[in-house]
Amino acid sequence: MKKRMEVLDSLRGFSLLGILIANMLYFQYGTITKEEIEPTTWWDQAAFYFTKIAVEASVYPIFGFLFGYGIILFVGSLEKRELNARGPLWRRAIGLVVLGALHIAFVWDGDILLTYGAALIMIILFFLKRQVKTWLVWSGILAGIMLPSMFLKENLLALFAEEADKAAVIFSSGTYLEVMQHRIGLGDDEFGLIFWIVGLAIGFILVAVMAFFAVGSFILLGMAAAKVDLFNDIEQKQRLLKRVTWLVPVGLLCKAFLVWEHPVGTLIYGFGTYALAIGYIALFTLLFIKLKDHKIMHRFASVGRLSLSNYLLQSIICTTIFYGYGFGYFGKLGVALGLVLALIVYGLQLVGSRLYLQRFSIGPVEWLLRKFVYLGKEK
């Protein structure tokens, strides 16, 4: 079990690096306007296409896979002690939704916690007690449904172009209050608060369904992997892992089709995002087997053990650097320097997480969520 948890923590920690690199475009240019970046120097172009092809859209699926794997480990741990898992699972889902909503309102609107919390609600309601075959079938169905949805992306971006320009101005020069008001939809619109409250009241079911469609494929895949104990005795599965790593070059090649502005190119790109994510999981697992006693894997595991706190810390650091109420570097550094900054921030987290865990056994946000999940009682 120790090795299995170590590889999961290490993979989770490594995926946080990818998440930070992918999010750096959003931090620097805004949630919508990042799609309109036109790098002018060769180094910014190289950093841009590296991010878009090697990282973006292929690291969140890894996080979803690990989230699903963790659900099964969580349920199994409770059932071994003859405890009902549904109560703690519901509280975990609600806790993630609340943390995500607070993250969106007070820090950054690129949150994923609310998405995973909402998706977990759908898992509890419809999939928790299903068979592995059912999870795999639905994983494929959801992936197939989401691929054509990428065709809508450009039209949606064009629809919100005016809002994107407004957001860029607010993020780059607005006060904290102005940024927060814009983020939660209040702004100057007198009806904003009404729509926001109504949206919370009647729209959460829709949000849960959309979240499940967005990340459910890899959550279910992770649940299936946990059920068959994929990461147990991983040394004995190296031949299988090596075969799966071929999805890395396949995925990179498919994602390179993003330069082909055609529906077929979009479809190939979408397939590549999934293939690359699975290939990365296999490749990192092989690296873990070779380097499991190396300090770099211990560093990755430390970041992974504090993944929730580190994820939120990344948002706080980067919004402070780029937004107007902080240092005001929004849209000014360029893609390449943004990539370097991501590596620096993550490097500090590698060191800081290790030092933190030498004194404490759990991260502050993880501790808060655990207290809510277990109602203040020890596991």
Side-chain angles (χ1 to χ4, degrees):
M1 177 66 73
K2 181 178 183 299
K3 287 184 179 180
R4 183 172 66 205
M5 293 308 299
E6 186 78 7
V7 67
L8 292 175
D9 285 336
S10 298
L11 180 56
R12 188 178 294 109
F14 179 74
S15 69
L16 273 176
L17 171 60
I19 287 173
L20 178 57
I21 291 173
N23 284 345
M24 193 57 68
L25 291 179
Y26 292 84
F27 286 128
Q28 290 195 85
Y29 300 101
T31 303
I32 300 172
T33 54
K34 76 166 189 73
E35 298 297 340
E36 300 173 358
I37 301 170
E38 294 182 357
T40 56
T41 63
W42 69 264
W43 51 86
D44 276 342
Q45 289 177 347
F48 177 77
Y49 285 109
F50 168 78
T51 301
K52 299 288 286 187
I53 294 174
V55 181
E56 190 179 76
S58 292
V59 288
Y60 282 109
I62 299 175
F63 217 71
F65 175 88
L66 294 169
F67 184 76
Y69 207 104
I71 291 173
I72 299 303
L73 294 181
F74 181 77
V75 171
S77 174
L78 292 173
E79 289 181 344
K80 283 181 180 178
R81 287 171 285 158
E82 300 181 346
L83 298 174
N84 190 333
R86 283 191 173 267
L89 267 179
W90 272 107
R91 289 190 290 274
R92 188 179 182 187
I94 293 170
L96 288 172
V97 168
V98 171
L99 283 173
L102 293 174
H103 185 209
I104 292 171
F106 295 105
V107 184
W108 185 53
D109 56 359
D111 172 78
I112 59 170
L113 301 180
L114 191 151
T115 299
Y116 283 117
L120 179 54
I121 291 175
M122 298 294 291
I123 294 292
I124 296 170
L125 289 175
F126 301 109
F127 290 95
L128 190 60
K129 295 300 181 180
R130 302 292 183 180
Q131 300 297 317
V132 170
K133 181 179 178 180
T134 302
W135 293 339
L136 292 175
V137 169
W138 272 98
S139 177
I141 290 173
L142 291 172
I145 291 174
M146 289 307 295
L147 283 179
S149 71
M150 294 183 180
F151 297 143
L152 302 175
K153 188 175 183 180
E154 291 184 5
N155 292 331
L156 289 174
L157 290 174
L159 188 64
F160 291 102
E162 184 178 344
E163 179 65 17
D165 294 336
K166 179 182 177 182
V169 173
I170 294 174
F171 292 155
S172 62
S173 59
T175 64
Y176 177 79
L177 183 59
E178 289 171 340
V179 172
M180 186 182 73
Q181 287 176 333
H182 173 80
R183 196 160 44 222
I184 62 178
L186 298 183
D188 299 324
D189 186 355
E190 60 182 318
F191 298 105
L193 180 60
I194 297 175
F195 287 128
W196 195 69
I197 293 174
V198 171
L200 286 178
I202 67 175
F204 187 74
I205 294 177
L206 179 61
V207 171
V209 173
M210 292 176 62
F212 179 69
F213 273 83
V215 299
S217 178
F218 271 80
I219 291 177
L220 291 173
L221 187 63
M223 291 170 63
K227 206 67 174 179
V228 300
D229 218 5
L230 178 66
F231 286 102
N232 191 32
D233 295 326
I234 54 175
E235 290 84 358
Q236 308 303 317
K237 300 170 183 174
Q238 294 187 62
R239 180 176 296 181
L240 172 63
L241 292 169
K242 288 177 180 178
R243 290 175 180 172
V244 178
T245 57
W246 278 103
L247 288 176
V248 172
V250 170
L252 290 172
L253 179 61
C254 290
K255 289 187 70 178
F257 275 81
L258 70 88
V259 298
W260 185 23
E261 297 180 359
H262 187 277
V264 175
T266 301
L267 195 62
I268 295 173
Y269 171 85
F271 172 79
T273 63
Y274 297 144
L276 188 58
I278 296 173
Y280 277 160
I281 292 171
L283 179 59
F284 186 88
T285 303
L286 282 173
L287 290 174
F288 177 85
I289 294 172
K290 301 295 184 183
L291 303 173
K292 59 179 179 290
D293 296 322
H294 194 280
K295 64 181 180 180
I296 187 59
M297 286 300 170
H298 298 312
R299 296 287 190 271
F300 283 140
S302 296
V303 174
R305 286 179 60 186
L306 306 175
S307 59
L308 190 53
S309 296
N310 276 321
Y311 169 71
L312 294 174
L313 183 59
Q314 288 175 357
S315 295
I316 294 171
I317 292 172
C318 292
T319 52
T320 301
I321 291 172
F322 292 110
Y323 285 8
Y325 57 78
F327 294 101
Y329 283 105
F330 188 87
K332 296 178 180 178
L333 290 187
V335 183
L337 281 179
L339 177 57
V340 172
L341 178 62
L343 296 176
I344 292 173
V345 171
Y346 186 79
L348 293 173
Q349 289 188 313
L350 283 175
V351 176
S353 297
R354 190 66 175 174
L355 293 175
Y356 179 92
L357 288 173
Q358 289 176 355
R359 184 167 184 178
F360 304 100
S361 62
I362 188 173
V365 184
E366 286 83 359
W367 177 86
L368 186 64
L369 182 60
R370 177 184 289 184
K371 287 294 182 181
F372 178 67
V373 168
Y374 294 102
L375 299 177
K377 301 176 183 178
E378 293 296 326
K379 293 197 293 182

